[in-house]
Every structure is written in C-alpha cells, then in structure tokens.
Amino acid sequence: MTIINEKKATDLKTSDFYYDLPERLIAQHPSEKRDHSRLMVLNRAENTVEHKHFYDILEYLHEGDVLVINDSKVIPARLYGHAEGRPDAALELLLLRQHDLDCWETLVKPGKRARIGSRAVFGGGILVGEVIDIVEEGNRIIRFEYDKTKYANIYDILSVVGLMPLPPYITEQLKDNSRYQTVYAREEGSAAAPTAGLHFTPELLQKIKDKGVSIAPVMLHVGLGTFRPVKSERIDEHIMHTEYFSVSKESADIINSCKAKGGRLICVGTTSCRTIESVALKDGTIPAMSGDTGIFIYPGYRFKAVDALITNFHLPESTLLMLVSAFYDKERVMEAYHTAVEQEYRFFSFGDAMFIE
C-alpha cells in the first residue's frame, strides 16, 4: 500500500526554515570514533539544552524504552559511464529504487541523453543499461544487462562498478566505505545512509541492551523522497517522492509491548520516524506492514507514536528540518540550530547529533 500524509493547513514558507551555515561546519569526514561525535540534548518538557557526546546517550535511555532503527543498507548506487557507442557522451546515474532485480528507477545526468531506448555502458561495458520509461520528476526506469555467469546479481556487479553515493556537499573521498554504513545495516536498497544511525557502535548498542532498552529494526530504503529539495514557496505544496518501507511482526510486537508497559518509543533518524508514523494507528499501535510511503511531516502534524528522536543536523529549508521542527517547536529548533552554529557543531551526514526527548 502507499501512504501519503493528510495535508495540514499552514502558512509556513520554505524560507522560514533557512539558517546561515558557514561552509567550514559541513562535516567532510566521519569522526574518528563513531560514538565520539557531539550530542545536543533538547528536553521538550523543560525547554533545556545540554551539550554532550554521543556515548552519553546512555544517560537518557531508560529501562523499558524501545529504540527503533532503520536497518536499510546503502548500495554503491552511483554509476559513471557514457552513451553506448559515444565515449565522449558522459553519463551519471544514481539508482533510487528497485522495481525488480535488474530494473531500477534512476536519476540521470544529463537527462537529455536518456531518451527511451537509449543505452549506456558502465565499467568498460561489463554493465549496460537501457532506458525503458520516463517517470515523475524526469527520473528514468532503466533495465540493466550483465553477464550472469560472472555476477550472481545486480548487487554483485555494483560492488565492482558502483560508488558509494555520498551527498554533493561532501567533497573529500571516503577512505573507508563502511563509515557511510550503519553497523546494523542489513537489507540492501538505500541510495543514502540513514545518517543518525552512523553514531552507534556494536559496543554502545550492547550497553543499551544491557540497560534494558529493546531494539526494534524497521526498514525504509532511503531515496529521493528524503532529500529532494523543497522548491515550492509554501511547504504544504511540496510533494514527497515515495520510498519503500517494511515493519516486521517481530518489531511491531516489541514496540507495542514496550509502549503498553509505559516505555518510550525512540526513533533513530527521520527515516525511522517517518516509517513509524506511516504505519501507526490513531491509538499509537504499530501494525506489521510494508509498502510505499510519501509521508511529509511538518509543523502542525500530530505524532501518533514517536516519543523521542535521535537525529543529525539537517540542511536549511529541507523536509528533514521541517520534520524535526514538527516534533518539537519550530522556534526552539531554529534557536538550537543557531546555537549549534555558534558552538561549531559539525553538520549534515558526517556531523554531530541531536536528541529530542
């Protein structure tokens, strides 16, 4: 099924979520140790701000809570090649969403070279793609061909010819691709990392479990919907691109059991939050479900299930910043962002974290 949120009346404009960020604060590489990044803690009940390190998250998690993580795995989704028979006609592809094993929705640059029937080669010809359809926003559906006697599946060949799809604001080369992957990543399919989860280590997760906190994996394959910029002046006119999600019965049972006993549901990242709010019933119960979600959460939205949120610092005027502003209070969140700039926190995918309780 496909889930789109109910529109809420709002006078908020995209420009209301702008803040000035010095370029030097955009993190170009991960912190040396995952859990040693900084952590800003916002307490909604007391309107307080604390400055900690991520490993201090243990202080704020309580026995009986449930931590919801997105275990989607980033694939080497960026491909560089050229039009078939034209080595001078360079092409760049970003794989966004799998339709079937060898057929993907993609973002192609330049799009004018990607007409239906056109073909492109990658890796010196070991991977060939043909455009078979054009969809919304100018994305292309491409069917790939490769030697199946040499490569078991598309993921096998992507490991050879594909690159990790780092955001364009990261200009440094990543020395270790695993640092753009959560330690609990499991199911391949994301075109970007669920970055709030990058701060966790296996050791920290074990300490969290030892404290009596349950961990419930859900899955949302991160695609264009999460990062597509808001181009409309009014935020309620923006349409989210849908992304595939799944909540297993096991995870739903863990969440519902913890909530029934008074524990908090704490989402790691906006993707986990969007998944939970996509499936939550009016009473906050979480059913097992899978499908597509285009939920767009912005101020005025009433959360049905999420009690606390771990998240990174997001781009100005982004849907991610709008979600965080909906979870707390827009003015408080923007104040916190200005404080983060003054305190020289590191921003975006490889940056520091925020915990809102």
Side-chain angles (χ1 to χ4, degrees):
M1 65 182 297
T2 301
I3 297 171
I4 308 291
N5 67 305
E6 296 178 3
K7 289 291 183 183
K8 305 285 192 273
T10 179
D11 292 325
L12 288 173
K13 298 179 180 179
T14 301
S15 57
D16 292 328
F17 296 88
Y18 177 79
Y19 66 92
D20 188 35
L21 179 68
E23 189 173 342
R24 72 178 188 280
L25 298 183
I26 299 174
Q28 292 297 316
H29 52 81
S31 59
E32 185 176 347
K33 297 182 179 179
R34 287 178 183 262
D35 60 355
H36 279 51
S37 52
R38 296 169 72 186
L39 177 69
M40 179 183 288
V41 181
L42 305 183
N43 186 301
R44 292 181 293 171
E46 300 178 8
N47 286 329
T48 58
V49 179
E50 294 180 275
H51 303 284
K52 299 281 188 173
H53 287 92
F54 195 81
Y55 50 73
D56 295 317
I57 195 71
L58 275 170
E59 298 177 21
Y60 301 93
L61 305 181
H62 312 308
E63 183 178 355
D65 288 343
V66 57
L67 199 66
V68 178
I69 60 175
N70 180 7
D71 65 0
S72 180
K73 189 174 186 178
V74 186
I75 61 174
R78 179 161 281 122
L79 297 170
Y80 291 98
H82 58 81
E84 189 175 55
R86 293 186 58 197
D88 60 323
L91 285 169
E92 176 186 346
L93 257 65
L94 180 63
L95 305 185
L96 296 175
R97 180 178 180 139
Q98 190 174 34
H99 284 217
D100 60 42
L101 185 58
D102 297 327
C103 189
W104 288 73
E105 180 175 346
T106 68
L107 184 64
V108 184
K109 296 180 182 179
K112 63 182 180 181
R113 290 181 181 160
R115 301 182 180 90
I116 292 178
S118 63
R119 291 165 62 85
V121 298
F122 308 93
I126 64 174
L127 180 66
V128 178
E130 180 175 343
V131 179
I132 62 173
D133 199 4
I134 299 175
V135 293
E136 59 177 329
E137 292 298 308
N139 295 352
R140 271 49 172 184
I141 305 298
I142 293 183
R143 184 169 298 282
F144 290 100
E145 306 165 9
Y146 52 93
D147 188 343
K148 291 183 171 62
T149 65
K150 294 183 178 179
Y151 302 98
N153 52 45
I154 188 72
Y155 299 109
D156 194 14
I157 196 167
L158 286 177
S159 67
V160 177
V161 300
L163 298 174
M164 292 298 277
L166 295 179
Y169 51 75
I170 295 176
T171 58
E172 293 185 10
Q173 292 294 319
L174 188 60
K175 296 179 181 179
D176 178 3
N177 282 345
S178 71
R179 293 304 306 273
Y180 194 59
Q181 203 82 263
T182 63
V183 297
Y184 47 74
R186 182 186 59 85
E187 187 168 343
E188 293 177 308
S190 275
T195 54
L198 296 178
H199 303 283
F200 288 92
T201 65
E203 295 77 15
L204 180 57
L205 286 169
Q206 187 58 54
K207 290 178 181 178
I208 289 170
K209 293 176 184 177
D210 293 343
K211 195 170 183 177
V213 177
S214 299
I215 296 179
V218 299
M219 191 280 295
L220 182 140
H221 284 327
V222 186
L224 194 59
T226 299
F227 297 103
R228 192 174 69 173
V230 180
K231 296 181 180 179
S232 56
E233 182 180 4
R234 288 172 55 96
I235 67 172
D236 59 352
E237 294 175 352
H238 177 72
I239 304 298
M240 294 284 284
H241 195 276
T242 59
E243 296 162 308
Y244 181 75
F245 73 89
S246 178
V247 179
S248 68
K249 183 179 185 303
E250 180 181 5
S251 288
D253 289 345
I254 292 171
I255 294 167
N256 293 329
S257 175
C258 289
K259 292 277 282 186
K261 296 174 184 176
R264 298 175 301 168
L265 191 165
I266 302 166
C267 277
V268 177
T270 57
T271 58
S272 297
C273 178
R274 291 178 63 235
T275 301
I276 289 297
E277 290 296 315
S278 291
V279 305
L281 305 180
K282 289 183 178 179
D283 64 357
T285 301
I286 305 302
M289 186 183 298
S290 62
D292 298 327
T293 180
I295 190 170
F296 178 20
I297 298 175
Y298 52 80
Y301 177 87
R302 293 188 177 183
F303 286 81
K304 301 186 289 288
V306 179
D307 299 305
L309 178 66
I310 298 171
T311 187
N312 276 21
F313 291 91
H314 304 296
L315 275 72
E317 300 182 338
S318 64
T319 61
L320 309 179
L321 178 53
M322 293 170 189
L323 183 152
V324 174
S325 297
F327 189 69
Y328 187 6
D329 171 84
K330 174 187 170 295
E331 300 307 320
R332 296 282 185 182
V333 168
M334 297 307 291
E335 287 175 11
Y337 268 62
H338 290 306
T339 298
V341 171
E342 292 172 357
Q343 297 288 324
E344 298 201 335
Y345 274 68
R346 301 168 77 238
F347 280 69
F348 306 163
S349 294
F350 287 143
D352 297 316
M354 174 184 286
F355 178 50
I356 308 176
E357 61 174 346

